[in-house]
Amino acid sequence: MNRKHIVRQLKNKGVEFDHNLSTKDLDALLSRAPVINKITKSFDYAHGRGKISIAFNAAAEMEPAEIMMCDEIGKDPWSGEGISLKDIRDALTEITPKNRPLNFLVNSPGGSVSEGCAIRNYLDSWNGEITKTIIGISASTASWCIPADKVRAFKNSQIFLHQCWAMV
């Protein structure tokens, strides 16, 4: 195993190390590092055209689970695309323990207010801390449907809030 690969694995395991150590010493450090039981799952919805992915370390119970949500909120009646409460619920049933912190990664143009309310009400019952990270845009319903304890964003992330409107 080359040095670059060893360093990457040590970083992935969260092991502190001195970059000046020899490759042999780094390899020895890696062999003593704790085993990470990282679980990653993707859930298909919209007939396979959309995905919600979750990832968490089953061995570290208080390490956050990461949930990536990159689609409109609510199902489109014609195409079936979009994220529903059922999709979120199915993803959260895989996560153990049920008080694990959640980190939602959001890139969504918004969508259905009623579906957003249902998602928010469902997530309000989650016992762990919820962090929302805007990785692209969090617009309209997506800006408020995740009841986050903390909201983070990148310098080039966008958030869009507006008053309600409707068409007849």
Side-chain angles (χ1 to χ4, degrees):
M1 189 174 337
N2 68 23
R3 181 181 182 86
K4 192 176 189 181
H5 185 72
I6 294 169
V7 167
R8 186 179 314 124
Q9 284 192 337
L10 286 169
K11 285 181 180 178
N12 288 343
K13 291 185 177 200
V15 175
E16 297 285 331
F17 61 93
D18 182 5
H19 287 276
N20 296 324
L21 289 174
S22 68
T23 304
K24 182 179 177 183
D25 291 337
L26 288 174
D27 193 32
L29 190 60
L30 180 61
S31 67
R32 293 189 307 268
V35 174
I36 291 183
N37 187 11
K38 189 161 189 172
I39 297 172
T40 303
K41 292 189 176 184
S42 290
F43 297 88
D44 287 337
Y45 61 91
H47 309 292
R49 290 188 298 275
K51 292 199 184 310
I52 292 177
S53 65
I54 62 169
F56 62 95
N57 181 354
E61 292 186 356
M62 293 320 294
E63 186 177 299
E66 189 173 272
I67 302 168
M68 187 172 291
M69 194 172 87
C70 298
D71 207 342
E72 290 186 23
I73 308 298
K75 294 283 186 189
D76 182 286
W78 290 279
S79 69
E81 294 177 357
I83 295 171
S84 70
L85 170 62
K86 182 184 178 308
D87 300 323
I88 299 289
R89 188 193 68 216
D90 290 348
L92 293 180
T93 58
E94 296 294 320
I95 298 173
T96 56
K98 297 301 180 196
N99 64 342
R100 180 184 292 271
L102 300 177
N103 185 11
F104 274 89
L105 303 175
V106 178
N107 183 25
S108 174
S112 166
V113 172
S114 59
E115 197 69 26
C117 285
I119 291 170
R120 184 176 185 92
N121 293 336
Y122 183 78
L123 289 174
D124 272 337
S125 66
W126 188 261
N127 294 324
E129 182 179 79
I130 298 176
T131 301
K132 175 181 172 180
T133 304
I134 303 168
I135 58 174
I137 187 169
S138 181
S140 192
T141 302
S143 66
W144 56 263
C145 76
I146 306 297
D149 299 302
K150 296 179 198 169
V151 177
R152 302 181 314 179
F154 294 93
K155 286 182 179 181
N156 59 348
S157 296
Q158 299 177 32
I159 188 165
F160 171 68
L161 299 166
H162 64 89
Q163 293 181 347
C164 293
W165 60 276
M167 287 189 280
V168 178

